[in-house]
Amino acid sequence: MNEFDIIKHYFAANAQHRADVVHGIGDDCAIVNVPPGQELAITTDTMVAGVHFLETALPDDIGHKILAVNLSDLAAMGATPAWVTLALTLPVVDQQWLQNFCAGFFTLATRFRVQLIGGDTTRGPLSITVQAMGFTPPQKALLRSQAKPSDLIYVTGQLGDAGLALASLRHQVQLSAEHETAVLERFNRPEPRVTMGEHLRDIASAAIDISDGLAADLGHILKQSQVGARLEVERLPLSAAMLESIPRQKAIELALTAGDDYELCFTIPAHLRTELEQTLAAIDCRYTQIGVITAQPGLEITEDGKKYHAPLEGYEHF
Ligand code: ADP
Ligand code: MG
């Protein structure tokens, strides 16, 4: 199979067909129409073998995850995904690998009606780059810079599961079969919170997706908004796997500092709490208030009302 056969067989054949794509895969560029009155949100993320995923990672999971992390960035802006490009560097042409990669990638793409409109295919050490594009209504994108004192801080889903999975893959912790399956699913196949992001457009004051750990990513909101925050660790949403497999203190530290969760962290003005609950009532995604924004800069973490004492930066989890 040469480069063109690969593109035709695996990528062009599997691509969705959206009405706003004038020319997809096959020419020197893709040509698309941004819907009138919408703004274009653009993001890109790369995954390199041995750096962003383990050498043992399955191609199906890699295909899912590279798209999921890009859609997660769109979700964090409140954008609706539309198009993606895929730059794939492969050491060898392994058709089984390509087929499984495409299964993971296109299953997720289809769920969010995302069309693959172009890319690049080259030989070299395994590396995968996706660029994702989506739409937001004018001036409605969720920024990191607009959190205000007394805003409430929320996170979606549960925190720390991906970190626990990584510890398990590194044999640093022993999990029951059931918990292991659950956290590996969270680590390998994160769910981009796209619908959540869309519903937060008119409510949230700021948002970010959690790729590097809650403390670090909330830190970006605080810095760019020039505010501080008070977090209550007893409010952190933790899974059964976290609560039953490791000491509570370790679970809290993972929830605060472990990466790869791809949940959203967002803030809302306190008076919009009821509106938030009404807006999200029909959405199948857990969300939890974990603290408040303060005028005083810095991240203050409390446990049962007292200052929480634990080293957060450079902390060795196990
Ligand atoms: P060019 O040489 O003009 O850059 P290529 O030969 O690299 O074009 O690619 C031919 C067509 O296939 C282009 O439309 C390109 O966007 C598309 N393409 C190449 N690789 C991929 C890929 N991995 N996924 C999707 N489309 C791809
Ligand atoms: Mg060309």
Short mmCIF file of all heavy atoms in Angstrom, two decimals, residues 196-230:
data_model
loop_
_atom_site.label_atom_id
_atom_site.label_comp_id
_atom_site.label_asym_id
_atom_site.label_seq_id
_atom_site.Cartn_x
_atom_site.Cartn_y
_atom_site.Cartn_z
N MET A 196 -21.86 19.52 27.26
CA MET A 196 -21.73 20.36 28.45
C MET A 196 -21.21 21.76 28.06
O MET A 196 -21.78 22.78 28.46
CB MET A 196 -20.74 19.66 29.37
CG MET A 196 -20.85 20.01 30.79
SD MET A 196 -22.37 19.34 31.46
CE MET A 196 -22.15 19.83 33.13
N GLY A 197 -20.15 21.79 27.28
CA GLY A 197 -19.56 23.06 26.86
C GLY A 197 -20.57 23.93 26.12
O GLY A 197 -20.70 25.13 26.39
N GLU A 198 -21.33 23.31 25.22
CA GLU A 198 -22.33 24.07 24.45
C GLU A 198 -23.38 24.68 25.38
O GLU A 198 -23.81 25.81 25.20
CB GLU A 198 -23.02 23.15 23.44
CG GLU A 198 -22.09 22.72 22.31
CD GLU A 198 -22.69 21.61 21.44
OE1 GLU A 198 -23.49 20.79 21.95
OE2 GLU A 198 -22.34 21.55 20.26
N HIS A 199 -23.79 23.91 26.40
CA HIS A 199 -24.84 24.39 27.29
C HIS A 199 -24.31 25.45 28.28
O HIS A 199 -25.10 26.13 28.91
CB HIS A 199 -25.47 23.23 28.05
CG HIS A 199 -26.46 22.47 27.23
ND1 HIS A 199 -26.08 21.59 26.24
CD2 HIS A 199 -27.81 22.50 27.22
CE1 HIS A 199 -27.17 21.10 25.67
NE2 HIS A 199 -28.23 21.63 26.24
N LEU A 200 -23.00 25.53 28.42
CA LEU A 200 -22.44 26.51 29.35
C LEU A 200 -22.20 27.88 28.71
O LEU A 200 -21.88 28.84 29.41
CB LEU A 200 -21.10 25.97 29.91
CG LEU A 200 -21.22 24.78 30.85
CD1 LEU A 200 -19.84 24.23 31.18
CD2 LEU A 200 -21.97 25.16 32.13
N ARG A 201 -22.37 27.96 27.39
CA ARG A 201 -22.05 29.20 26.67
C ARG A 201 -22.70 30.44 27.26
O ARG A 201 -22.09 31.50 27.30
CB ARG A 201 -22.58 29.10 25.23
CG ARG A 201 -21.65 28.48 24.25
CD ARG A 201 -22.39 28.37 22.94
NE ARG A 201 -21.75 27.40 22.07
CZ ARG A 201 -22.41 26.75 21.11
NH1 ARG A 201 -23.71 26.94 20.92
NH2 ARG A 201 -21.77 25.91 20.35
N ASP A 202 -23.95 30.33 27.69
CA ASP A 202 -24.67 31.51 28.17
C ASP A 202 -24.61 31.63 29.69
O ASP A 202 -25.25 32.51 30.25
CB ASP A 202 -26.13 31.46 27.71
CG ASP A 202 -26.23 31.62 26.20
OD1 ASP A 202 -25.52 32.50 25.66
OD2 ASP A 202 -26.97 30.85 25.58
N ILE A 203 -23.89 30.73 30.35
CA ILE A 203 -23.93 30.72 31.81
C ILE A 203 -22.54 30.88 32.43
O ILE A 203 -22.34 31.65 33.36
CB ILE A 203 -24.55 29.40 32.33
CG1 ILE A 203 -25.98 29.26 31.79
CG2 ILE A 203 -24.55 29.36 33.85
CD1 ILE A 203 -26.63 27.94 32.13
N ALA A 204 -21.57 30.15 31.90
CA ALA A 204 -20.24 30.13 32.54
C ALA A 204 -19.51 31.44 32.29
O ALA A 204 -19.62 32.05 31.22
CB ALA A 204 -19.43 28.95 32.01
N SER A 205 -18.75 31.87 33.30
CA SER A 205 -17.91 33.06 33.14
C SER A 205 -16.53 32.67 32.62
O SER A 205 -15.87 33.45 31.94
CB SER A 205 -17.80 33.80 34.47
OG SER A 205 -17.51 32.91 35.53
N ALA A 206 -16.07 31.44 32.93
CA ALA A 206 -14.77 30.96 32.45
C ALA A 206 -14.80 29.44 32.40
O ALA A 206 -15.60 28.81 33.09
CB ALA A 206 -13.65 31.43 33.39
N ALA A 207 -13.94 28.87 31.58
CA ALA A 207 -13.86 27.41 31.49
C ALA A 207 -12.50 26.98 30.97
O ALA A 207 -11.82 27.74 30.26
CB ALA A 207 -14.95 26.85 30.58
N ILE A 208 -12.13 25.75 31.34
CA ILE A 208 -10.89 25.13 30.84
C ILE A 208 -11.11 23.63 30.90
O ILE A 208 -11.95 23.16 31.68
CB ILE A 208 -9.68 25.55 31.72
CG1 ILE A 208 -8.34 25.18 31.07
CG2 ILE A 208 -9.77 24.94 33.14
CD1 ILE A 208 -7.14 25.84 31.74
N ASP A 209 -10.41 22.86 30.07
CA ASP A 209 -10.48 21.41 30.26
C ASP A 209 -9.26 20.97 31.06
O ASP A 209 -8.20 21.59 31.01
CB ASP A 209 -10.64 20.64 28.93
CG ASP A 209 -9.41 20.71 28.05
OD1 ASP A 209 -8.75 21.77 28.01
OD2 ASP A 209 -9.12 19.71 27.37
N ILE A 210 -9.46 19.92 31.86
CA ILE A 210 -8.42 19.50 32.80
C ILE A 210 -7.55 18.43 32.14
O ILE A 210 -7.92 17.27 32.10
CB ILE A 210 -9.04 18.96 34.10
CG1 ILE A 210 -10.00 20.01 34.69
CG2 ILE A 210 -7.94 18.61 35.10
CD1 ILE A 210 -10.75 19.53 35.92
N SER A 211 -6.41 18.86 31.60
CA SER A 211 -5.48 17.91 30.99
C SER A 211 -4.25 17.71 31.87
O SER A 211 -3.64 16.66 31.84
CB SER A 211 -5.07 18.38 29.60
OG SER A 211 -4.62 19.72 29.65
N ASP A 212 -3.91 18.70 32.67
CA ASP A 212 -2.68 18.63 33.48
C ASP A 212 -2.96 18.55 34.98
O ASP A 212 -2.05 18.74 35.79
CB ASP A 212 -1.81 19.86 33.22
CG ASP A 212 -1.32 19.91 31.78
OD1 ASP A 212 -1.18 18.83 31.18
OD2 ASP A 212 -1.11 21.01 31.26
N GLY A 213 -4.20 18.29 35.36
CA GLY A 213 -4.56 18.24 36.78
C GLY A 213 -5.33 19.49 37.18
O GLY A 213 -5.06 20.59 36.69
N LEU A 214 -6.30 19.31 38.08
CA LEU A 214 -7.19 20.41 38.48
C LEU A 214 -6.42 21.63 38.99
O LEU A 214 -6.69 22.76 38.59
CB LEU A 214 -8.17 19.92 39.55
CG LEU A 214 -9.05 21.00 40.18
CD1 LEU A 214 -10.00 21.59 39.15
CD2 LEU A 214 -9.83 20.43 41.37
N ALA A 215 -5.47 21.40 39.90
CA ALA A 215 -4.78 22.54 40.52
C ALA A 215 -4.06 23.37 39.45
O ALA A 215 -4.15 24.60 39.44
CB ALA A 215 -3.79 22.06 41.57
N ALA A 216 -3.37 22.70 38.53
CA ALA A 216 -2.64 23.42 37.49
C ALA A 216 -3.58 24.11 36.52
O ALA A 216 -3.39 25.28 36.15
CB ALA A 216 -1.73 22.44 36.73
N ASP A 217 -4.65 23.41 36.10
CA ASP A 217 -5.52 24.00 35.08
C ASP A 217 -6.43 25.08 35.66
O ASP A 217 -6.63 26.12 35.02
CB ASP A 217 -6.31 22.89 34.37
CG ASP A 217 -5.40 22.08 33.44
OD1 ASP A 217 -4.60 22.71 32.72
OD2 ASP A 217 -5.46 20.84 33.44
N LEU A 218 -6.95 24.87 36.87
CA LEU A 218 -7.69 25.97 37.52
C LEU A 218 -6.74 27.16 37.70
O LEU A 218 -7.15 28.31 37.58
CB LEU A 218 -8.25 25.51 38.86
CG LEU A 218 -8.93 26.58 39.71
CD1 LEU A 218 -10.11 27.22 38.97
CD2 LEU A 218 -9.40 26.00 41.05
N GLY A 219 -5.47 26.85 37.98
CA GLY A 219 -4.46 27.90 38.11
C GLY A 219 -4.39 28.82 36.89
O GLY A 219 -4.19 30.02 37.00
N HIS A 220 -4.61 28.23 35.69
CA HIS A 220 -4.61 29.06 34.47
C HIS A 220 -5.78 30.04 34.47
O HIS A 220 -5.64 31.20 34.05
CB HIS A 220 -4.69 28.18 33.22
CG HIS A 220 -3.47 27.32 33.03
ND1 HIS A 220 -2.20 27.83 32.98
CD2 HIS A 220 -3.35 25.99 32.88
CE1 HIS A 220 -1.34 26.84 32.81
NE2 HIS A 220 -2.01 25.71 32.75
N ILE A 221 -6.94 29.57 34.92
CA ILE A 221 -8.10 30.47 35.01
C ILE A 221 -7.80 31.59 36.00
O ILE A 221 -8.03 32.76 35.72
CB ILE A 221 -9.38 29.69 35.44
CG1 ILE A 221 -9.87 28.78 34.31
CG2 ILE A 221 -10.49 30.66 35.87
CD1 ILE A 221 -11.16 28.05 34.60
N LEU A 222 -7.24 31.22 37.15
CA LEU A 222 -6.98 32.22 38.19
C LEU A 222 -6.00 33.28 37.70
O LEU A 222 -6.21 34.48 37.89
CB LEU A 222 -6.42 31.54 39.45
CG LEU A 222 -7.29 30.44 40.05
CD1 LEU A 222 -6.68 29.94 41.36
CD2 LEU A 222 -8.72 30.91 40.26
N LYS A 223 -4.95 32.82 37.04
CA LYS A 223 -3.93 33.74 36.57
C LYS A 223 -4.50 34.68 35.50
O LYS A 223 -4.35 35.90 35.57
CB LYS A 223 -2.76 32.93 35.99
CG LYS A 223 -1.50 33.73 35.88
CD LYS A 223 -0.28 32.83 35.78
CE LYS A 223 0.96 33.72 35.82
NZ LYS A 223 2.14 33.07 35.32
N GLN A 224 -5.18 34.09 34.53
CA GLN A 224 -5.67 34.91 33.41
C GLN A 224 -6.85 35.79 33.83
O GLN A 224 -7.11 36.81 33.20
CB GLN A 224 -6.03 34.02 32.22
CG GLN A 224 -4.78 33.34 31.66
CD GLN A 224 -5.02 32.68 30.31
OE1 GLN A 224 -5.86 33.09 29.53
NE2 GLN A 224 -4.26 31.64 30.02
N SER A 225 -7.57 35.39 34.88
CA SER A 225 -8.69 36.21 35.36
C SER A 225 -8.25 37.17 36.47
O SER A 225 -9.04 37.98 36.94
CB SER A 225 -9.81 35.32 35.90
OG SER A 225 -10.34 34.48 34.89
N GLN A 226 -7.00 37.03 36.92
CA GLN A 226 -6.45 37.84 38.01
C GLN A 226 -7.31 37.76 39.27
O GLN A 226 -7.71 38.77 39.86
CB GLN A 226 -6.28 39.29 37.56
CG GLN A 226 -5.29 39.39 36.40
CD GLN A 226 -5.06 40.82 35.96
OE1 GLN A 226 -5.96 41.46 35.42
NE2 GLN A 226 -3.87 41.32 36.21
N VAL A 227 -7.60 36.51 39.65
CA VAL A 227 -8.38 36.24 40.86
C VAL A 227 -7.72 35.07 41.59
O VAL A 227 -6.72 34.52 41.13
CB VAL A 227 -9.84 35.88 40.52
CG1 VAL A 227 -10.58 37.08 39.94
CG2 VAL A 227 -9.89 34.68 39.56
N GLY A 228 -8.28 34.68 42.73
CA GLY A 228 -7.85 33.48 43.45
C GLY A 228 -9.02 32.54 43.60
O GLY A 228 -10.10 32.77 43.05
N ALA A 229 -8.80 31.45 44.37
CA ALA A 229 -9.90 30.50 44.58
C ALA A 229 -9.73 29.79 45.91
O ALA A 229 -8.62 29.64 46.41
CB ALA A 229 -9.93 29.46 43.46
N ARG A 230 -10.87 29.38 46.47
CA ARG A 230 -10.87 28.52 47.65
C ARG A 230 -11.54 27.21 47.25
O ARG A 230 -12.66 27.20 46.77
CB ARG A 230 -11.62 29.19 48.79
CG ARG A 230 -11.47 28.48 50.13
CD ARG A 230 -11.87 29.37 51.29
NE ARG A 230 -13.19 29.94 51.08
CZ ARG A 230 -13.45 31.23 50.91
NH1 ARG A 230 -12.48 32.12 50.94
NH2 ARG A 230 -14.68 31.65 50.72
#
